[in-house]
Amino acid sequence: MLGAGAAATFGGLKPVAAQDARELVIVTYPGALSAPHRWLADRMEARHPGLSIRLVPSDSQDIVAQIKAAQGYSPFDAGPNDEPPHLIGIGEGYLSKRDDAAIPNLANAYPELVTKSGGVGVPATYSLVGIAYNTDLVKTPPASWADLWKPEYRGQVGIARTSSNLGLATLAIAARTFGGSEGDLETGWTKLKELEAKAARSPAALTQMLEREEIAIAPLWNNNTAAAAGKGLPVAFVKPAPGPVAIISYFSGFARSRHPDLVAEWMNGILSPEYQTRAAAAPFYFGPTVRGVEIPADAAPYTPSTPEEVTALQTVDWSKIVPVRGQLVERFDRTFAF
């Protein structure tokens, strides 16, 4: 065992004083999708001797409950949220306001995505809702959202339950395609029933139905479709006209973090070209939220790779949907016999 004097001089390294030892606790995605966060964490730790970044994989509301129940500092420092929980977090006060001066890379983010953040967190990535189809069952790929209602697809379309963002986005798409809106979803309900669709409890279950040929076609995440295609399954993805729907993920600091300076540095790293390029590549296929990021060729079928494709992206007015989300889930379950 090295003595104190040896520790001070071994290899010429300066010892880490106890007061320099810090832990940053970051909520991350479960499974392989956490890899870009680990890459970013390793680089931050290298810049800060004594810093340990612990990634906690979770997509559970248990995290929120722990933050709300905390006495004193939050047990978590920062984490990602899609737009609906992001809006809820702002409303309930457990997300902290952003310090723009501490995040210089914010200047490179798409301004419209920054505006949608509400002054909280940074637009980290986005995933797309497009149309996935089984190439063994569908010989002429759909070109538009309206094509889902072609007679040859009736009874072969899958849709996700509205407990998921995918299901909610599908309802909004159905409404908007036929003259409705997020504030007028009745058209969407009518059009979804016309599909004689098969409902799935989750996006993952919907992907499995597509793989098993229980359905031929479905609104689906680009990430899920890419993962299935990567396994060699006969699945392809379409970015339908007038545009696929982008669901933005914001990375935000939690209120009462003991390390707001490190949280700001983390969010600045999220907006770096290096991180954005890595997250856009296989097997993640996350859409970049900063300008000038080159999309890898193998990601182009699943992620917008040109300025024109980025311009064509649609979004959902979640401010209209979040307040009635519970009602929409109940109605879906009644309508589709869940």
Side-chain angles (χ1 to χ4, degrees):
M1 180 178 292
L2 295 173
T9 58
F10 182 72
L13 296 177
K14 178 183 177 181
V16 176
Q19 62 267 27
D20 292 333
R22 293 183 290 176
E23 182 182 58
L24 192 68
V25 183
I26 301 290
V27 180
T28 189
Y29 301 118
L33 293 182
S34 67
H37 291 161
R38 186 66 260 169
W39 176 87
L40 183 59
D42 290 345
R43 276 141 190 81
M44 272 191 67
E45 288 177 342
R47 289 196 300 272
H48 296 279
L51 174 64
S52 172
I53 299 179
R54 178 161 56 95
L55 300 182
V56 179
S58 179
D59 54 10
S60 170
Q61 286 299 303
D62 288 347
I63 294 291
V64 174
Q66 291 178 60
I67 293 168
K68 289 181 176 180
Q71 300 295 318
Y73 290 116
S74 168
F76 306 96
D77 294 294
N81 279 311
D82 289 341
E83 289 174 88
H86 182 74
L87 288 176
I88 293 169
I90 292 173
E92 296 187 355
Y94 57 81
L95 299 180
S96 62
K97 281 286 186 181
R98 182 182 64 233
D99 179 3
D100 290 11
I103 309 172
N105 285 336
L106 193 65
N108 300 322
Y110 288 109
E112 56 271 30
L113 302 186
V114 176
T115 298
K116 285 170 67 71
S117 71
V120 172
V122 297
T125 57
Y126 59 82
S127 293
L128 293 188
V129 179
I131 299 176
Y133 64 96
N134 186 304
T135 56
D136 288 341
L137 302 178
V138 176
K139 298 307 179 184
T140 303
S144 70
W145 286 115
D147 284 351
L148 284 173
W149 282 265
K150 284 185 173 181
E152 59 262 38
Y153 298 145
R154 184 164 297 160
Q156 298 185 70
V157 179
I159 57 175
R161 188 172 179 241
T162 50
S163 56
S164 69
N165 290 340
L166 174 63
L168 291 168
T170 300
L171 175 60
I173 290 163
R176 285 161 47 171
T177 300
F178 296 96
S181 68
E182 290 88 337
D184 177 18
L185 292 170
E186 284 305 317
T187 300
W189 288 114
T190 299
K191 299 305 292 187
L192 288 185
K193 285 189 284 186
E194 285 181 10
L195 291 173
E196 298 178 11
K198 296 177 182 177
R201 290 194 175 276
S202 67
L206 192 62
T207 307
Q208 292 167 1
M209 291 169 66
L210 197 65
E211 295 171 3
R212 293 194 297 258
E213 299 190 357
E214 296 174 25
I215 56 174
I217 191 168
L220 193 61
W221 295 115
N222 63 331
N223 319 79
N224 290 79
T225 313
K231 298 175 185 175
L233 297 166
V235 178
F237 186 76
V238 171
K239 304 165 193 167
V245 173
I247 310 294
I248 304 158
S249 176
Y250 289 95
F251 219 103
S252 306
F254 294 121
R256 294 181 290 136
S257 164
R258 69 177 68 226
H259 303 302
D261 56 330
L262 293 174
V263 168
E265 183 177 339
W266 174 272
M267 293 193 293
N268 195 57
I270 288 285
L271 296 179
S272 67
E274 296 82 5
Y275 175 88
Q276 292 279 316
T277 300
R278 181 171 293 268
F284 316 112
Y285 301 107
F286 288 123
T289 57
V290 302
R291 290 165 290 199
V293 173
E294 186 172 344
I295 300 298
D298 60 349
Y302 307 101
T303 305
S305 56
T306 67
E308 292 76 18
E309 284 189 316
V310 172
T311 301
L313 291 175
Q314 300 188 75
T315 58
V316 174
D317 186 354
W318 293 106
S319 67
K320 298 286 199 314
I321 290 180
V322 167
V324 296
R325 185 170 188 165
Q327 299 170 35
L328 298 179
V329 174
E330 291 177 6
R331 182 168 179 178
F332 185 94
D333 291 353
R334 292 196 308 270
T335 303
F336 295 96
F338 262 86

